[in-house]
């Protein structure tokens, strides 16, 4: 039987390698080693290094890309433009946010269809950005924000909040303040700032724990010290929840200069590009 020389011979079906890997749930429940450090060598209150760059998508009006070690998120902003007529009339602008986890972003391959996790993340980002954006500056218009998680190694929602805020600012949209996101995992008496995917809260891994086991995500406007969004999973006592909130806000204040420096570099780069084009003409 003749063979097709242009076709690569290979199996008709493939399976991901993680399917045959045994999952060690016991290792995931031990969050801090005997030396007081986490599995990646960080202290419980230590954050991962952050890389942030604005203006990475030339076709979008504003864009940003953020890395928190192996957590990678990119965001694009389009508009403002006139929204669809079927929506109600409003003299204030509207934000429409869409979050998508890439199919290859997690250990288990995701679906192309939008799931509940993505819808919830989009709603949180929209609610967090609405108090920060001057919506009255573009009446009867809509601003589209598209967030894509390229790789999820934990704290994806916190990184997406910071990335979306930087993209909106890069688009030249007037804002009262930037929005900085941060996540924390509470495991008994241990607080883990900026948790990885193995350190994130999973109810199925927590047994016989009625309280003080959960995760908190905070969106903060640092200049005016206002919390624009707060998401909590699990059960936390009131005093522990206040302590977690305080720690997250302090972490957001530390991230704030990084975003400011990123936007400053983006503006300087655009000015150099404009000066070069004017010189050539």
């Amino acid at each position: 039987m003749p063979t097709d020389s242009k076709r690569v011979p290979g199996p008709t079906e493939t399976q991901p390698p993680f399917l045959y890997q045994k999952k060690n749930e016991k290792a995931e429940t031990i969050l801090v080693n005997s030396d007081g450090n986490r599995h990646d060598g960080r202290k419980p209150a230590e954050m991962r290094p952050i890389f942030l760059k604005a203006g990475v998508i030339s076709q979008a009006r504003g864009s940003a890309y953020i890395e928190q070690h192996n957590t990678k998120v990119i965001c694009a902003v389009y508009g403002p433009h006139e929204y669809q007529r079927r929506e109600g009339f409003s003299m204030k602008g509207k934000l429409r946010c869409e979050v998508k986890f890439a199919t290859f972003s997690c250990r288990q391959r995701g679906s192309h269809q939008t799931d509940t996790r993505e819808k919830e993340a989009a709603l949180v980002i929209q609610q967090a950005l609405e108090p920060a954006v001057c919506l009255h500056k573009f009446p009867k218009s809509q601003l589209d924000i598209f967030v894509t998680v390229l790789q999820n190694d934990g704290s994806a929602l916190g990184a997406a909040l910071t990335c979306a805020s930087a993209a909106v600012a890069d688009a030249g949209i007037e804002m009262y303040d930037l929005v900085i996101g941060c996540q924390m995992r509470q495991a008994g008496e241990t607080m883990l700032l900026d948790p990885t995917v193995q350190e994130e809260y999973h109810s199925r891994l927590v047994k016989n724990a009625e309280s003080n086991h959960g995760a908190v995500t905070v969106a903060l406007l640092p200049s005016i010290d206002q919390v624009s969004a707060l998401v909590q999973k699990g059960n936390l006592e009131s005093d522990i929840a206040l302590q977690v909130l305080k720690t997250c806000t302090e972490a957001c204040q530390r991230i704030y200069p990084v975003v400011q420096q990123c936007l400053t570099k983006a503006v300087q780069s655009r000015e150099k590009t404009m000066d070069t084009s004017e010189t050539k003409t």
Side-chain angles (χ1 to χ4, degrees):
M1 185 175 180
T3 59
D4 188 357
S5 60
K6 296 182 179 180
R7 181 174 298 178
V8 179
T12 57
E13 296 182 358
T14 59
Q15 300 293 340
F18 298 112
L19 182 64
Y20 305 98
Q21 182 179 1
K22 293 183 179 180
K23 194 170 184 180
N24 191 357
E25 295 187 356
K26 183 178 180 180
E28 294 184 0
T29 57
I30 303 175
L31 302 176
V32 180
N33 299 324
S34 57
D35 57 356
N37 295 331
R38 293 146 80 169
H39 295 289
D40 55 1
R42 290 184 293 154
K43 298 292 183 182
E46 184 179 353
M47 298 183 62
R48 293 175 291 184
I50 296 177
F51 170 79
L52 180 64
K53 185 176 182 180
V56 294
I57 303 177
S58 58
Q59 294 84 357
R61 178 168 180 175
S63 59
Y65 171 77
I66 189 172
E67 284 187 6
Q68 292 182 207
H69 192 56
N70 288 331
T71 297
K72 304 174 184 179
V73 182
I74 192 169
C75 177
V77 175
Y78 299 89
H81 57 83
E82 185 178 0
Y83 53 77
Q84 298 177 357
R85 294 184 178 180
R86 67 170 179 266
E87 298 186 12
F89 176 82
S90 176
M91 286 301 296
K92 293 180 63 176
K94 296 182 179 181
L95 296 180
R96 187 179 74 89
C97 183
E98 180 178 323
V99 177
K100 184 62 183 176
F101 284 77
T103 55
F104 50 83
S105 62
C106 304
R107 293 173 63 91
Q108 295 182 353
R109 184 173 179 84
S111 173
H112 292 282
Q113 297 180 352
T114 304
D115 56 13
T116 306
R117 176 183 58 172
E118 295 169 343
K119 292 180 180 178
E120 292 178 353
L123 182 60
V124 172
I125 295 175
Q126 179 182 341
Q127 292 177 346
L129 289 178
E130 283 179 347
V133 180
C134 300
L135 298 176
H136 63 280
K137 293 290 185 177
F138 47 96
K140 300 181 292 184
S141 300
Q142 176 177 292
L143 190 67
D144 296 329
I145 303 172
F146 298 94
V147 179
T148 303
V149 180
L150 301 176
Q151 186 173 351
N152 181 17
D153 189 29
S155 304
L157 180 56
L161 285 165
T162 305
C163 187
S165 173
V168 173
D170 181 65
I173 304 300
E174 295 187 38
M175 304 176 66
Y176 298 106
D177 195 3
L178 294 170
V179 178
I180 309 299
C182 180
Q183 289 186 235
M184 174 170 283
R185 163 74 192 277
Q186 180 70 32
E189 298 180 356
T190 304
M191 290 185 181
L192 301 179
L193 188 62
D194 188 18
T196 62
V197 68
Q198 292 184 349
E199 296 171 344
E200 286 185 336
Y201 173 75
H202 300 287
S203 58
R204 60 182 178 80
L205 297 179
V206 180
K207 299 179 180 179
N208 301 325
E210 291 77 11
S211 61
N212 295 336
H213 278 271
V216 174
T217 304
V218 176
L220 179 71
L221 280 65
S223 296
I224 58 180
D225 197 19
Q226 176 182 344
V227 176
S228 59
L230 177 63
V231 180
Q232 176 181 327
K233 296 182 179 179
N235 298 320
L236 298 177
E237 296 179 357
S238 58
D239 54 343
I240 297 296
L242 291 175
Q243 188 176 357
V244 170
L245 178 60
K246 181 181 178 181
T247 306
C248 286
T249 54
E250 292 176 352
C252 291
Q253 293 287 355
R254 298 201 300 267
I255 301 174
Y256 187 44
V258 178
V259 184
Q260 287 180 316
Q261 184 179 8
C262 167
L263 296 174
T264 302
K265 289 183 178 180
V267 172
Q268 293 175 350
S269 177
R270 288 182 179 178
E271 288 181 351
K272 291 181 180 179
T273 304
M274 292 177 61
D275 293 341
T276 304
S277 60
E278 291 178 358
T279 304
K280 290 182 180 180
T281 56

